[in-house]
Amino acid sequence: MSRKTMSSKFILWFTAFTLASGTCFAATSSKAVENQSATLWQLIVSGGVCMIFLGLLSVAALALVIYHFRSVTPKKLTPPDFTENLLFLLEKKEYDKAVSVCRQQENMISAIALKGLQKMSKGKTVVEEAIQYEGKARIEQLWQNLTYLGDIAVVAPRLGLLGTILGIIEAFGYFRAASIHPSILTAGLAKAMVNTVFGLVIAVPCLVFYAYFRGRLSLITTNAERAAS
């Protein structure tokens, strides 16, 4: 199976999982609330203010997943053919041609090599420092971008829990009234549960994708360090 096909299936799985979960929650809420037919949008709106932030987190998570599938790949950042060709030019000491090749093709290896080639006149030590610094900066940036996905996986369920607590407080606040219709209390409790469920719907796929991309970044880091050496 090609990487492109695998990437498409992961994105499709992420979207299908979210939509299917949301449909399931909407159906459950419809049965719980008497004489009401809640759509997915109505269910989201009933979750209150916390659902706005959960929605923003879901959009950010989806954007990060698509970005990593499209841009953070070994073939794109550490292409083996380009690396072999560049090392061949460096072994032949054709530095001008190597600089030209690095400027023509943008990837992590070319950026690291170009920094070193630009310092050739300043000696071997300066070249090594430039390569190490650029390589470290590029790798740290990739890991930082992946960390955002992990942060969303941590924040989403906690934000959902906050919405749940607020919903429960609101639901039990109805006990002050002289008479309580069961549907009112049920609606309040449903609102509480919606936040927790949607928080988990966001967090679980994020954790799965985080683990997958972490393995991919480990391979990219190893390739980049080997080429830099």
Side-chain angles (χ1 to χ4, degrees), residues 10-210:
F10 265 103
I11 295 174
L12 186 61
W13 175 85
F14 181 90
T15 307
F17 181 85
T18 304
L19 293 178
S21 301
T23 304
C24 178
F25 307 145
T28 304
S29 178
S30 297
K31 294 178 181 179
V33 182
E34 295 180 1
N35 301 324
Q36 291 187 9
S37 178
T39 64
L40 178 59
W41 173 249
Q42 290 171 340
L43 188 63
I44 293 173
V45 172
S46 71
V49 178
C50 288
M51 290 298 293
I52 297 175
F53 297 100
L54 286 172
L56 294 175
L57 286 178
S58 66
V59 172
L62 184 58
L64 284 170
V65 168
I66 294 174
Y67 164 75
H68 280 85
F69 269 123
R70 292 175 60 88
S71 303
V72 186
T73 64
K75 186 177 180 181
K76 201 164 189 176
L77 295 179
T78 58
D81 294 339
F82 172 84
T83 303
E84 291 178 5
N85 182 41
L86 178 62
L87 293 176
F88 176 75
L89 293 175
L90 294 177
E91 288 174 357
K92 294 177 63 177
K93 297 186 178 180
E94 296 182 3
Y95 302 127
D96 293 336
K97 193 172 181 180
V99 170
S100 178
V101 168
C102 289
R103 287 176 175 171
Q104 289 174 3
Q105 187 170 346
E106 294 184 3
N107 55 62
M108 182 183 291
I109 302 300
S110 65
I112 294 173
L114 191 58
K115 282 292 182 179
L117 290 168
Q118 290 173 343
K119 304 290 184 180
M120 287 292 294
S121 60
K122 297 184 179 180
K124 179 180 178 181
T125 303
V126 177
V127 171
E128 290 179 352
E129 290 177 353
I131 290 174
Q132 291 176 359
Y133 178 81
E134 183 67 16
K136 183 179 179 181
R138 294 270 176 168
I139 291 172
E140 285 182 351
Q141 183 61 50
L142 290 175
W143 282 103
Q144 181 62 49
N145 292 337
L146 182 60
T147 301
Y148 295 143
L149 191 61
D151 291 340
I152 292 175
V154 173
V155 172
R158 284 165 173 76
L159 188 58
L161 180 60
L162 174 61
T164 298
I165 295 173
L166 294 176
I168 292 175
I169 292 174
E170 180 180 338
F172 281 96
Y174 291 124
F175 281 114
R176 297 178 182 177
S179 60
I180 306 173
H181 195 278
S183 64
I184 296 177
L185 182 59
T186 304
L189 293 175
K191 175 181 178 180
M193 294 299 103
V194 163
N195 285 275
T196 294
V197 171
F198 272 88
L200 293 174
V201 166
I202 296 171
V204 172
C206 284
L207 285 174
V208 173
F209 285 121
Y210 178 82

